[in-house]
Amino acid sequence: MTDLTPLGAPDRLELGEGIRWVDGRLVCVDILTGRLLGRVGADTTPLRPLAQLDVPLGAVAPVSGRPGTWIAAAGTGICLLAPGADPEWLTGPERHASTAMRMNDGCADPHGCFWAGSMAYDGTPDAGSLYRAGRDGTVTRVLDGLTIPNGPAFDRHGTTMYLADSARGLIRRYSVDPRDSGLGEGEEFARVTEGSPDGMTVDCEGALWTAVWGAGEVRRYLPDGTLASVLRLPVTQPAGVCLGGDDGRTLYVTTARVGLTEPGPLDGAVFRARVAVPGLPTAAYRSTAA
């Protein structure tokens, strides 16, 4: 395993998250600017805009069978982003909430559903929820009482889900019923006392990687919850992680400048490191809707 080093490109993100390796390219979001960004080719090439929204963009997943189309956690709901088209909204469940809300992190699972969390702009405790967009396009609230949900991340079979509540420093693990995507009760998997668990991904050995916001770290936990390794960054706010590259053994990390009174030259950069265990393929949303 090598140290995390910044990519050569001059990208600096305000709040870089939702990083994915999709069809041979790196994709991520800059949440508060509403930008979906991608890079094709060498790590020295800059990220280029793929979509621009006028609302915050928390995370995306590719849509199977529709090249260039994404399902997105954005604004107060979930939408489809197709090239050259306005967003197609599936729902806006937080649109009329009593507290000003936005969508945050999310991903697709191996069964083809899309999961995304919501949070209050001001971090109101317990105001957030976790939503699941089924393959038929129906969006269901599956968990509530969350403050700042991050992840989720799924194992290879889609029968285990990890979800962080960053404000509580807690990562919980849930069983997932492959028949109807129902969640089990959940259990504590890991607790972070310095910094907050943020974006996550699972590798081929079932270990969980998580960015630790505020601590300048990326951690790898074994399936039994043992902390196996820690990678340190020269910045304090890592926010998203993924495993990709040609062999799946490059760890990419997004970071953030937001909230820093005096951002340093690397705050907001995207970092990379070589690791021993490859990641899993990025799952796609598989819609059955006409």
Side-chain angles (χ1 to χ4, degrees):
M1 185 182 298
T2 58
D3 292 334
L4 283 159
T5 58
L7 301 189
D11 305 307
R12 298 293 182 266
L13 307 175
E14 284 298 303
L15 182 50
E17 288 202 26
I19 190 165
R20 305 284 184 266
W21 184 264
V22 181
D23 296 331
R25 66 177 172 177
L26 199 64
V27 175
C28 67
V29 301
D30 197 0
I31 293 181
L32 299 180
T33 65
R35 295 186 300 159
L36 175 61
L37 303 164
R39 172 187 289 118
V40 178
D43 287 337
T44 55
T45 61
L47 293 167
R48 300 189 182 280
L50 302 177
Q52 173 72 65
L53 279 68
D54 59 4
V55 293
L57 176 59
V60 301
V63 177
S64 180
R66 297 177 62 179
T69 297
W70 308 87
I71 187 169
T76 56
I78 296 174
C79 66
L80 295 174
L81 302 176
D86 291 334
E88 178 186 341
W89 291 95
L90 302 182
T91 186
E94 301 289 6
R95 186 175 301 140
H96 302 296
S98 57
T99 301
M101 304 287 291
R102 69 168 176 84
M103 301 302 292
N104 199 43
D105 204 0
C107 74
D109 69 26
H111 305 295
C113 297
F114 180 71
W115 304 69
S118 67
M119 60 173 286
Y121 276 98
D122 64 1
T124 298
D126 303 329
S129 298
L130 179 69
Y131 295 92
R132 181 186 66 239
R135 296 179 62 184
D136 63 356
T138 300
V139 177
T140 304
R141 178 187 275 117
V142 292
L143 289 173
D144 57 15
L146 304 170
T147 301
I148 304 178
N150 271 295
F154 293 86
D155 70 350
R156 180 191 302 274
H157 304 292
T159 54
T160 299
M161 182 189 80
Y162 297 91
L163 182 70
D165 194 339
S166 300
R168 292 182 168 92
L170 180 64
I171 301 172
R172 294 182 65 83
R173 176 168 56 193
Y174 299 82
S175 60
V176 183
D177 190 325
R179 297 167 298 180
D180 61 5
S181 297
L183 293 185
E185 184 175 345
E187 61 182 0
E188 180 174 323
F189 175 73
R191 188 174 290 274
V192 176
T193 56
E194 295 182 8
S196 303
D198 209 306
M200 303 185 292
T201 192
V202 177
D203 66 26
C204 283
E205 292 184 349
L208 180 75
W209 293 84
T210 181
V212 184
W213 178 281
E217 297 177 352
V218 175
R219 299 183 181 181
R220 182 177 186 256
Y221 291 92
L222 300 181
D224 65 1
T226 301
L227 178 59
S229 59
V230 177
L231 287 175
R232 303 190 185 281
L233 293 87
V235 298
T236 59
Q237 296 182 159
V241 295
C242 78
L243 290 160
D246 292 340
D247 59 1
R249 289 184 168 87
T250 300
L251 174 71
Y252 292 98
V253 183
T254 51
T255 68
R257 298 166 59 87
V258 66
L260 298 175
T261 54
E262 296 183 5
L266 293 178
D267 290 303
V270 180
F271 290 78
R272 67 178 174 186
R274 293 291 291 167
V275 298
V277 181
L280 300 170
T282 297
Y285 176 62
R286 302 199 300 272
S287 174
T288 59

